[in-house]
Amino acid sequence: MGYTNLGPTDLGRTAVLTSYISEGGQLMGRFIQRAGLSGAFEWQNLPEDWYRQIFDPFTRAARTEPFFIAATREPGRRRDPCTTP
């Protein structure tokens, strides 16, 4: 199974803002329409059959369904990253 080094995703904050400006050019207000976190992950040595059976369906669902990526710092503890306990 492949592994990745997960960086600090809390530093990858993203937001879509809407600003309201008066006719005179003054800022009247700003609103957050959407906010989230952005990060990049790179995996290596994933078996092709595992990718096709588990990871590919996950990536398709992740386009419209919420998800999270969790990492453990406990040595020797392994868990399939696309399943629940």
Side-chain angles (χ1 to χ4, degrees):
M1 193 64 56
Y3 298 94
T4 184
N5 182 11
L6 301 176
T9 56
D10 60 333
L11 298 178
R13 294 180 189 95
T14 61
V16 175
L17 304 171
T18 298
S19 298
Y20 293 97
I21 308 292
S22 71
E23 290 181 7
Q26 299 294 320
L27 178 65
M28 297 174 57
R30 178 176 283 167
F31 300 92
I32 298 175
Q33 288 184 308
R34 182 174 54 245
L37 297 174
S38 176
F41 305 98
E42 181 180 319
W43 286 274
Q44 299 174 2
N45 306 319
L46 297 176
E48 185 176 343
D49 61 337
W50 180 88
Y51 179 88
R52 291 186 186 279
Q53 292 174 6
I54 296 175
F55 195 72
D56 188 47
F58 162 75
T59 58
R60 292 173 190 262
R63 293 178 187 168
T64 57
E65 301 297 324
F67 71 94
F68 66 93
I69 296 177
T72 180
R73 297 184 186 266
E74 298 175 27
R77 182 177 177 205
R78 293 185 186 183
R79 179 171 285 159
D80 187 338
C82 297
T83 61
T84 55

